[in-house]
Amino acid sequence: MSKEKPSIPKGTRDFGPAVVARRNYIFGVIRRTFEKYGYLPLETPAMEQLSVLTGKYGDEGDQLIFKILNSGDFLAKTKSEDIEQGHKHLTRKISEKALRYDLTVPFARFVVMNRNEITFPFKRYQIQPVWRADRPQKGRYREFYQCDADVVGTNSLLCEAEIVQMIDGALTDLGLTDFTIKINHRGVLAGIAEAIGEKGREGDICVAIDKLDKIGRDGVRKELLERGITEAAVGKLEPLYDLNGTNEEKLAQLQTILGATAEGERGLNDLHQVWQYLQGLQSRALMAENPSGEPRLMLDVTLARGLSYYTGCIFEVKVNNVSMGSISGGGRYDNLTGMFGLPGVSGVGFSFGVDRIYDVLEELQLFPESSQQSTTALIVQFDKASEMYALPVLQQLRDAGISAELYPEPAKLKKQMGYADQKNIPYVILIGSEEMASGKLKLRDMKQGEQQDLTVADIISKLMQ
Amino acid sequence: MSKEKPSIPKGTRDFGPAVVARRNYIFGVIRRTFEKYGYLPLETPAMEQLSVLTGKYGDEGDQLIFKILNSGDFLAKTKSEDIEQGHKHLTRKISEKALRYDLTVPFARFVVMNRNEITFPFKRYQIQPVWRADRPQKGRYREFYQCDADVVGTNSLLCEAEIVQMIDGALTDLGLTDFTIKINHRGVLAGIAEAIGEKGREGDICVAIDKLDKIGRDGVRKELLERGITEAAVGKLEPLYDLNGTNEEKLAQLQTILGATAEGERGLNDLHQVWQYLQGLQSRALMAENPSGEPRLMLDVTLARGLSYYTGCIFEVKVNNVSMGSISGGGRYDNLTGMFGLPGVSGVGFSFGVDRIYDVLEELQLFPESSQQSTTALIVQFDKASEMYALPVLQQLRDAGISAELYPEPAKLKKQMGYADQKNIPYVILIGSEEMASGKLKLRDMKQGEQQDLTVADIISKLMQ
């Protein structure tokens, strides 16, 4: 057995009790939101067939998939030629499974495998970890959770409106008050490409303007030119970055610019209908203004989102006045299951970035006290007599549903109080000879520093409040 | 992109919504039980350094660890000699990480890494999947969840008594009424070895009698003799299989047989003290009788549990009258963190087998209705007018915390009702022209098949009950 100092793989994390409790608080809010809108949980295995994952994330993505070595003698079927042909070739010979890279491909795989049992429209959410062999850096991990919700098997734009509602609902429940839900449509982007004389080039345009926040207008211009977009087209494109006014005004301006293009019209019609649904739902996101005076839901024609499979509305969410990238995003795709031979299943989905939400809530001090607390009461142990006296008390507390502990040894009082402190236990019960005689136990409120002498029944009713 | 029929790795499972809901019900009961006793959640990464896992589970276990191929050019540092030396040698060159095989070793690793920050006694629970490259068979998977609770840093036998309480509490909360919590002590087993003239041979004796349930008395005799235990010793051992009477009577008989051995005395003293704690806690497990008339908590000197690291009390739980192996087990270990260079940290822990508990609850039909239900209400969509009318109703339901859906398309009524049926939605709301005119909507109870005309406010108060 090794006696080296143990460590964990880089880019991975242990989550101690306090962090798990806060993460579970976030997961709980997100889960309840998904369920309130009729989304039900799905869980898929951590390991997928390598063939299911390969080719879905581009060449770069394929390199970042963690592959699992075949068990047993994985070399049994290899020859020396296989090894000479390098690691990419050998991988296919010695590895058949891999860790999931996202939740979208396993979801598509599940839908295709179970297409005959599933009732469509199928609304599922999935909250599970994914693994990527990315270079670890601040805020980027090799193991992290994704929280996805998708509905497949319907074209209804009600789903898009409900995604806006879920984002607004979950973030509001988490206590956030200043965030922007950006919305755009791939049809609008295609219409823009056509309107500026670069029909069919919306892919290149998307990749470039997706970086507007990071590399600025000049950077985007440079990239667009490199990608072969003409100077004239870039010149026509740039004024759109500054499109302003209310959402309705923006839509009207876009109608003038793109209305004549088929894709642009499709995009604008969809957006109009999403707006109509949101009005019917009396959407707070539609009506609310952020402290800056801007609408919470904002049409942003520079929103592109890199993923190539989006075909309709796209979303992205930013918390304002916090230095943090988007905490949620998604969009409609028309052919996700096509990769597994089942074409024509339209869907729309989005996800929350839990690690980023965690950091935002911590920065803004929005974690509620209830998410920080553990055991409700600790009974201090002085000696054998107090221990024996404490046992039925302990049981009564737990029977009442109160989480409680008896310190398991007659350690020094300071040590026991330190334990309560470290564990953030709000109440300590002290049972000395006087308390045993009177039947009134000392209940110490650790936060207020106050003590009261109370019967067990009174302690229970106080702690159950 | 591959168009083959996708599949999942053998021994792994997808969990659809209905199964996830039931599994979450079980996890919820177990989690609340752990927390009521002051255990707090820990989560460790799926991937551990291979060096952390290797050598902890025996040679056979090492073979069953899933290894992860190093990312990038994993062959860069290998030479042809490395490949000629076979797969075991090569594994060390091309794989540094592996999937966790259980939750115990990662816990020990966590305690050692964080020994300076942890307040002892440290009570943690952990509910996470583990992976084993075992041959898949009925009830045995390559990915499955473990639910462990351990406390380290105290010798107090109160912890053992509380484990009995937690097992009894969780299983009772799950609706089980006929189960046996078997308890024994490694000291008793060592005392028996000494008393039958085979001092120090308790390891061999444990491995053999651990199989009593599976291979019977003759099988165990054969194995004991093969392992070099004398005929005379086996002859003295066998009557102990039939030790009967109440737990107190068994303890008294054992006192006579083992009392003179140091280990036997240690074991019996510990068991006496556990009993004393349970009496103080007014333990139902101690007082309850199963339908057969046997005590729920049962001293069983043939309980051995294979794991070599146990040193004190050991536990195992069996549901009676169901063909299923043990659903929970555990024990005290004196040196778990010793494997990582931190000796002298005593601990005790146990775990629940969720897959087995799931099968038992299903067989006994003990899943409550609340664990089977999804969305509370579906609003049927007839046409654009009913859709628009439904939107604010939908929002009011959700604002009241009721999970609700509007079918996203004006599909045939039969299809929409089928959707509600498949999804196990208990209430359907129908809004036709009459309902829109009167403001009283039709609420259909899908189970009873009854319909009522109610205002939105009345529907909400009915569904919130």
Side-chain angles (χ1 to χ4, degrees), chain A residues 69-241:
Chain A
L69 207 50
N70 293 342
S71 40
D73 183 1
F74 58 85
L75 284 177
K77 287 181 191 158
T78 56
K79 299 183 191 132
S80 54
E81 301 97 83
D82 290 319
I83 289 146
E84 282 152 20
Q85 287 186 56
H87 74 279
K88 285 191 191 179
H89 173 83
L90 188 61
T91 298
R92 286 193 292 272
K93 298 273 171 179
I94 64 175
S95 167
E96 285 169 3
K97 292 184 283 292
L99 294 178
R100 76 177 155 245
Y101 181 86
D102 70 2
L103 303 178
T104 307
V105 169
F107 171 56
R109 193 263 310 143
F110 177 86
V111 170
V112 173
M113 276 180 71
N114 299 280
R115 59 176 115 177
N116 296 323
E117 291 77 46
I118 289 174
T119 312
F120 293 96
F122 180 55
K123 291 169 137 182
R124 86 85 175 79
Y125 74 84
Q126 195 168 349
I127 300 180
Q128 289 192 285
V130 301
W131 295 270
R132 298 183 182 180
D134 244 324
R135 189 181 301 274
Q137 58 184 54
K138 191 177 177 305
R140 192 204 281 162
Y141 304 99
R142 291 185 149 190
E143 173 180 68
F144 59 96
Y145 268 73
Q146 290 194 330
C147 303
D148 283 24
D150 290 81
V151 48
V152 291
T154 175
N155 293 306
S156 169
L157 290 153
L158 175 60
C159 304
E160 274 83 343
E162 292 192 336
I163 285 176
V164 171
Q165 294 292 86
M166 285 191 273
I167 292 170
D168 181 60
L171 299 186
T172 301
D173 285 352
L174 288 169
L176 293 169
T177 53
D178 189 4
F179 55 92
T180 302
I181 304 171
K182 294 180 187 173
I183 186 169
N184 195 12
H185 194 289
R186 278 287 163 96
V188 167
L189 290 163
I192 289 176
E194 191 176 342
I196 65 172
E198 295 282 359
K199 187 172 177 179
R201 302 297 304 282
E202 61 269 21
D204 279 308
I205 296 173
C206 281
V207 172
I209 66 171
D210 204 29
K211 300 177 187 162
L212 193 58
D213 274 357
K214 284 179 197 148
I215 61 175
R217 181 174 293 235
D218 289 344
V220 171
R221 162 177 280 264
K222 190 158 162 273
E223 178 153 349
L224 284 166
L225 295 174
E226 278 167 15
R227 288 178 174 270
I229 307 296
T230 65
E231 283 258 3
V234 176
K236 286 185 194 162
L237 177 65
E238 285 179 339
L240 287 171
Y241 302 167

Side-chain angles (χ1 to χ4, degrees), chain B residues 81-383:
Chain B
E81 302 98 86
D82 290 320
I83 289 147
E84 283 151 20
Q85 287 184 59
H87 74 279
K88 284 190 190 181
H89 172 85
L90 188 62
T91 300
R92 287 192 291 274
K93 297 276 172 177
I94 64 175
S95 167
E96 284 169 5
K97 292 183 285 291
L99 293 179
R100 77 179 153 242
Y101 181 86
D102 70 2
L103 303 177
T104 308
V105 169
F107 171 55
R109 192 262 310 143
F110 177 87
V111 170
V112 173
M113 275 179 71
N114 298 279
R115 59 177 113 176
N116 296 324
E117 290 79 44
I118 289 173
T119 313
F120 292 97
F122 180 54
K123 292 168 137 183
R124 86 86 173 80
Y125 74 84
Q126 196 167 349
I127 300 181
Q128 290 191 284
V130 302
W131 295 269
R132 296 183 183 180
D134 244 323
R135 191 181 300 273
Q137 58 183 55
K138 190 180 177 305
R140 193 204 279 161
Y141 303 100
R142 291 186 149 189
E143 173 179 69
F144 58 97
Y145 268 74
Q146 291 193 330
C147 304
D148 283 24
D150 289 81
V151 48
V152 293
T154 175
N155 293 307
S156 170
L157 290 152
L158 174 61
C159 304
E160 274 83 343
E162 293 193 334
I163 285 176
V164 171
Q165 294 291 86
M166 283 190 273
I167 292 170
D168 182 59
L171 298 186
T172 300
D173 286 350
L174 289 169
L176 292 169
T177 53
D178 189 4
F179 56 91
T180 303
I181 304 171
K182 295 180 186 174
I183 186 168
N184 195 12
H185 194 288
R186 279 287 164 95
V188 168
L189 288 163
I192 288 175
E194 190 175 344
I196 64 173
E198 296 281 2
K199 185 172 178 180
R201 301 296 304 279
E202 62 270 18
D204 280 308
I205 295 173
C206 282
V207 171
I209 65 170
D210 203 28
K211 300 176 187 162
L212 195 56
D213 275 357
K214 283 180 199 150
I215 60 175
R217 180 173 297 233
D218 289 344
V220 171
R221 164 177 279 264
K222 189 156 165 276
E223 177 152 351
L224 285 166
L225 295 174
E226 278 169 13
R227 288 177 174 271
I229 306 297
T230 67
E231 283 258 3
V234 176
K236 285 185 196 163
L237 177 66
E238 285 179 341
L240 288 170
Y241 301 167
D242 307 314
L243 208 62
N244 53 27
T246 65
N247 290 312
E248 287 70 18
E249 286 163 358
K250 285 184 192 170
L251 282 170
Q253 291 174 67
L254 286 171
Q255 190 67 43
T256 316
I257 306 169
L258 318 175
T261 67
E263 274 294 284
E265 198 186 355
R266 177 175 75 89
L268 293 172
N269 282 347
D270 279 2
L271 288 170
H272 273 297
Q273 213 177 325
V274 172
W275 248 256
Q276 209 177 25
Y277 278 122
L278 287 171
Q279 271 151 4
L281 291 168
Q282 300 162 342
S283 166
R284 181 176 51 203
L286 194 64
M287 296 178 290
E289 281 187 356
N290 282 324
S292 65
E294 283 188 325
R296 180 166 289 175
L297 178 68
M298 193 195 286
L299 177 63
D300 180 353
V301 294
T302 71
L303 175 67
R305 287 189 71 73
L307 287 170
S308 59
Y309 55 69
Y310 291 128
T311 51
C313 284
I314 45 180
F315 308 95
E316 209 164 270
V317 183
K318 175 102 188 60
V319 180
N320 299 313
N321 301 313
V322 170
S323 62
M324 177 62 76
S326 65
I327 58 164
S328 177
R332 180 171 286 275
Y333 40 82
D334 274 343
N335 198 22
L336 191 65
T337 56
M339 61 175 86
F340 298 116
L342 181 66
V345 179
S346 183
V348 57
F350 75 115
S351 71
F352 287 109
V354 167
D355 288 305
R356 289 181 171 183
I357 291 175
Y358 185 101
D359 289 347
V360 168
L361 295 190
E362 192 153 72
E363 184 176 335
L364 301 176
Q365 299 187 296
L366 288 174
F367 281 109
E369 203 157 334
S370 61
S371 71
Q372 323 229 19
Q373 161 180 321
S374 59
T375 307
T376 303
L378 174 75
I379 307 180
V380 164
Q381 175 173 166
F382 292 113
D383 51 24

Side-chain angles (χ1 to χ4, degrees), chain A residues 200-394:
Chain A
R201 302 297 304 282
E202 61 269 21
D204 279 308
I205 296 173
C206 281
V207 172
I209 66 171
D210 204 29
K211 300 177 187 162
L212 193 58
D213 274 357
K214 284 179 197 148
I215 61 175
R217 181 174 293 235
D218 289 344
V220 171
R221 162 177 280 264
K222 190 158 162 273
E223 178 153 349
L224 284 166
L225 295 174
E226 278 167 15
R227 288 178 174 270
I229 307 296
T230 65
E231 283 258 3
V234 176
K236 286 185 194 162
L237 177 65
E238 285 179 339
L240 287 171
Y241 302 167
D242 305 315
L243 207 63
N244 54 25
T246 65
N247 290 312
E248 287 71 16
E249 286 163 357
K250 285 183 192 170
L251 282 170
Q253 290 175 68
L254 286 171
Q255 190 68 46
T256 316
I257 306 171
L258 318 173
T261 67
E263 274 293 284
E265 198 185 354
R266 178 176 74 90
L268 293 172
N269 282 347
D270 280 1
L271 289 170
H272 271 297
Q273 211 176 329
V274 171
W275 247 256
Q276 207 176 25
Y277 278 122
L278 287 170
Q279 271 152 1
L281 291 168
Q282 299 161 343
S283 165
R284 181 177 51 205
L286 195 64
M287 296 179 292
E289 281 187 357
N290 282 323
S292 64
E294 284 187 327
R296 179 167 289 174
L297 178 68
M298 194 194 286
L299 176 63
D300 180 353
V301 294
T302 72
L303 175 66
R305 287 188 71 72
L307 286 171
S308 59
Y309 56 71
Y310 291 128
T311 52
C313 284
I314 46 180
F315 307 95
E316 209 164 91
V317 183
K318 176 100 188 58
V319 180
N320 299 314
N321 301 313
V322 170
S323 62
M324 176 65 74
S326 66
I327 59 165
S328 177
R332 179 171 287 273
Y333 39 82
D334 274 341
N335 198 21
L336 192 64
T337 57
M339 61 174 86
F340 297 118
L342 180 65
V345 180
S346 182
V348 57
F350 76 113
S351 71
F352 286 109
V354 167
D355 287 305
R356 288 182 171 181
I357 291 176
Y358 186 100
D359 289 347
V360 168
L361 296 190
E362 192 153 74
E363 183 175 336
L364 300 176
Q365 298 187 298
L366 288 175
F367 281 110
E369 203 157 332
S370 61
S371 72
Q372 325 231 14
Q373 159 178 326
S374 60
T375 307
T376 304
L378 173 75
I379 307 180
V380 164
Q381 175 172 166
F382 292 113
D383 51 25
K384 200 73 199 165
S386 76
E387 185 187 30
M388 286 297 137
Y389 189 97
L391 292 174
V393 176
L394 184 61

Side-chain angles (χ1 to χ4, degrees), chain A residues 440-458:
Chain A
K440 288 202 168 183
L441 315 184
K442 228 176 251 325
L443 180 73
R444 187 178 169 84
D445 181 328
M446 293 290 279
K447 217 168 174 185
Q448 312 292 334
E450 288 161 7
Q451 293 191 168
Q452 276 185 289
D453 293 323
L454 297 171
T455 63
V456 177
D458 287 343

